[in-house]
Amino acid sequence: MEKLVISGGRALNGKIMLQGSKNSALPILAATLAVGGTSVIHNCPVLTDITAALKILEHTGCKIKREGHTVIVDSSAASRYDIPECMMREMRSSIIFLGALISRFGCAGVTPPGGCEIGLRPIDLHLSSLRRMGVDISENGGVLECRAPCGISPCHIALAFPSVGATENIMLASLRVKGETVITNAAREPEIKDLADFLKKCGARISGAGQSVIRINGVERMHSSVHSVIPDRIVASTYMACAACTGGKIAIDGICREHLLPVITVFEGAGCRIGIKNNELIINAPEKLSRIKSLRTMPYPGFPTDSQAIVTAMLATAHGTSVITEKIFENRFRHVPELIKMGADIRVEDGSVAVIEGVERLRGARVSACDLRGGSALAVAALGAEGKSVIENIHHIDRGCEAIEESFSLLGADIKRIKN
Ligand code: EPZ
């Protein structure tokens, strides 16, 4: 088990290149199986979740080549449509292979996915949508056996909630369906549009991705393509919080301004000065952060739940009382008890509202990452804290942030990864 040891209290300054988006790369990798041929995916971050996705692709019979941030997937010989439980449990995104397998083979055998324990995270919307499209789904010994004996039918799916994963699964499953599949109340996250952009390059007919109504007109044939994954808006917000928490100034290269608008407003509200030129964002922290009176996580284009933990850590030392309401997941304040060990004054009400009374300074402590973004939040808090912090269970952080110690060191942090 590895740990991060961080000596805080230094202002972080400098320039950093942003990694590609994990949550875009994962469904695109699943999509390479659906489209067939050899796909080349650039700007793919080097993360354990990506390795888990590549193992699933290999298991189905794909040939994989990974060269730095480029992944080449040759799915021509793929023939297996079952994914073993041990692979499904590695991450939540394994469920997106369900739509890809159905598109490619007309059937799939999967188990419920794993992933961060941030709430119930059911897959009912994924399954009810596929059933509506004509997929028979039965459970046998914990395995969901999915078949479309009469083919998949075009239909109108009105999602009860704009689920990112369910939208992706429907898009993938409907690629070759004869006729038009319509998703209403679709997720509008930038990662949905990135998936659609990749699929369109491969010959898919999709319109409306990034908006609430997505239309997929099935095509008979698809082909492989070359694609570059969008920048990671959540990791960008993590670097922004590094500057904010330490009173530093950081330039983040390779951002997409539009994707960051919901978080920029919040950082500006806390008193940070932000300038953007082309694809570079410069954030300059104030001497003392201001409180954010009320912040709610919402589906895009609202404030992202994935940036909530990081902003909670940032507001722990802001002037005054901030209130954050988590509206997407039921159990996404697991970083709070760890921040309290560092001296934060935060109470969580009804599991979904965090009331943060800003303290003067956090102090270093031994803490444990409970999930991916909560873990990154602890690292950010430790950078701003006085003294030494030890963060355990950092495998959670490695699922989403590429070589966090290298990036933070580049910005002047005193951070080391050590083995137990
Ligand atoms: C994606 O998860 C992201 N993961 C999450 O990022 C992100 O937090 C989330 O979208 C919301 O933006 C990936 O892209 C791999 P949802 P996903 O389906 O698709 C409920 C990270 O740290 N729901 O939009 O699982 C669900 O329980 C991760 O990178 C159902 O009730 O999110 C949740 O409360 C964490 N039934 C809400 O909807 C369903 O069938 C949003 O889930 C599906 C979802």
Side-chain angles (χ1 to χ4, degrees):
M1 289 288 243
E2 295 180 327
K3 296 172 190 166
L4 286 177
V5 179
I6 300 176
S7 291
R10 294 184 181 188
L12 260 55
N13 290 298
K15 186 167 171 167
I16 191 101
M17 184 70 205
L18 187 56
Q19 70 179 61
S21 161
K22 163 184 84 84
N23 289 347
S24 240
L26 290 170
I28 288 172
L29 287 173
T32 61
L33 172 63
V35 299
T38 301
S39 302
V40 180
I41 312 299
H42 296 301
N43 204 26
C44 204
V46 178
L47 301 167
T48 49
D49 271 17
I50 299 293
T51 307
L54 298 181
K55 273 192 196 147
I56 293 178
L57 285 169
E58 271 176 341
H59 170 82
T60 64
C62 297
K63 291 198 176 69
I64 309 289
K65 227 167 148 190
R66 203 170 176 178
E67 292 163 357
H69 291 98
T70 296
V71 174
I72 302 164
V73 183
D74 176 1
S75 71
S76 328
S79 58
R80 288 193 77 145
Y81 51 83
D82 64 310
I83 305 176
E85 188 182 5
C86 57
M87 292 187 180
M88 288 298 294
R89 289 229 165 272
E90 283 286 301
M91 56 172 179
R92 168 79 175 178
S93 211
S94 55
I95 197 63
I96 309 304
F97 281 89
L98 175 53
L101 288 167
I102 287 173
S103 174
R104 176 82 185 251
F105 302 115
C107 51
V110 298
T111 64
C116 286
E117 288 171 22
I118 53 181
L120 296 171
R121 307 192 83 180
I123 52 167
D124 56 323
L125 297 174
H126 300 240
L127 301 185
S128 59
S129 304
L130 293 174
R131 283 194 171 109
R132 196 165 160 75
M133 296 169 82
V135 180
D136 268 355
I137 304 176
S138 55
E139 200 192 319
N140 189 355
V143 177
L144 295 167
E145 292 177 349
C146 311
R147 274 170 212 287
C150 312
I152 303 176
S153 348
C155 61
H156 181 163
I157 298 166
L159 286 173
F161 180 87
S163 156
V164 173
T167 303
E168 291 165 348
N169 251 334
I170 302 165
M171 281 165 65
L172 289 173
S174 58
L175 290 172
R176 292 187 175 81
V177 173
K178 269 195 194 133
E180 184 172 79
T181 303
V182 183
I183 315 171
T184 52
N185 199 24
R188 291 186 282 163
E189 270 67 4
E191 294 77 22
I192 299 286
K193 178 156 184 311
D194 202 24
L195 173 62
D197 286 345
F198 168 68
L199 291 169
K200 285 198 276 186
K201 284 183 193 165
C202 301
R205 287 175 61 209
I206 302 176
S207 62
Q211 296 160 39
S212 297
V213 182
I214 301 180
R215 295 173 190 278
I216 305 112
N217 280 278
V219 292
E220 261 176 44
R221 288 216 186 101
M222 298 197 64
H223 50 82
S224 53
S225 171
V226 178
H227 186 75
S228 190
V229 171
I230 56 170
D232 196 314
R233 62 196 169 106
I234 308 302
V235 174
S237 70
T238 310
Y239 292 142
M240 289 165 77
C242 289
C245 283
T246 63
K249 180 178 174 187
I250 294 177
I252 310 168
D253 198 10
I255 61 125
C256 172
R257 178 181 170 274
E258 194 191 333
H259 300 169
L260 284 174
L261 289 177
V263 298
I264 287 174
T265 320
V266 172
F267 280 81
E268 284 179 337
C272 298
R273 276 184 293 125
I274 293 173
I276 298 179
K277 205 169 166 201
N278 302 323
N279 294 331
E280 184 175 273
L281 177 148
I282 299 181
I283 177 164
N284 211 329
E287 220 159 86
K288 182 82 183 160
L289 292 162
S290 311
R291 69 170 183 160
I292 300 288
K293 208 170 154 192
S294 168
L295 177 63
R296 283 164 175 255
T297 63
M298 299 289 273
Y300 190 85
F303 180 78
T305 173
D306 291 347
S307 298
Q308 177 264 107
I310 292 142
V311 168
T312 304
M314 168 177 106
L315 294 174
T317 52
H319 181 73
T321 308
S322 306
V323 179
I324 302 187
T325 308
E326 172 57 55
K327 299 290 284 179
I328 308 294
F329 291 105
E330 303 86 357
N331 193 16
R332 216 167 189 187
F333 282 120
R334 294 172 76 212
H335 47 285
V336 167
E338 303 304 300
L339 290 174
I340 291 173
K341 288 182 194 162
M342 301 175 82
D345 180 354
I346 306 175
R347 63 175 193 281
V348 176
E349 296 172 354
D350 299 331
S352 64
V353 180
V355 181
I356 308 159
E357 308 286 353
V359 296
E360 197 47 45
R361 211 84 221 248
L362 295 181
R363 51 176 189 274
R366 179 173 283 267
V367 290
S368 175
C370 300
D371 56 61
L372 157 49
R373 309 300 173 188
S376 309
L378 297 180
V380 166
L383 293 174
E386 221 159 60
K388 191 168 100 174
S389 295
V390 178
I391 307 177
E392 294 176 329
N393 278 325
I394 58 168
H395 60 276
H396 288 296
I397 303 177
D398 293 335
R399 295 185 45 210
C401 284
E402 196 175 308
I404 193 169
E405 70 283 11
E406 284 173 26
S407 318
F408 287 5
S409 290
L410 259 178
L411 298 169
D414 182 346
I415 177 170
K416 282 187 197 68
R417 179 184 289 259
I418 55 164
K419 295 206 185 328
N420 260 359

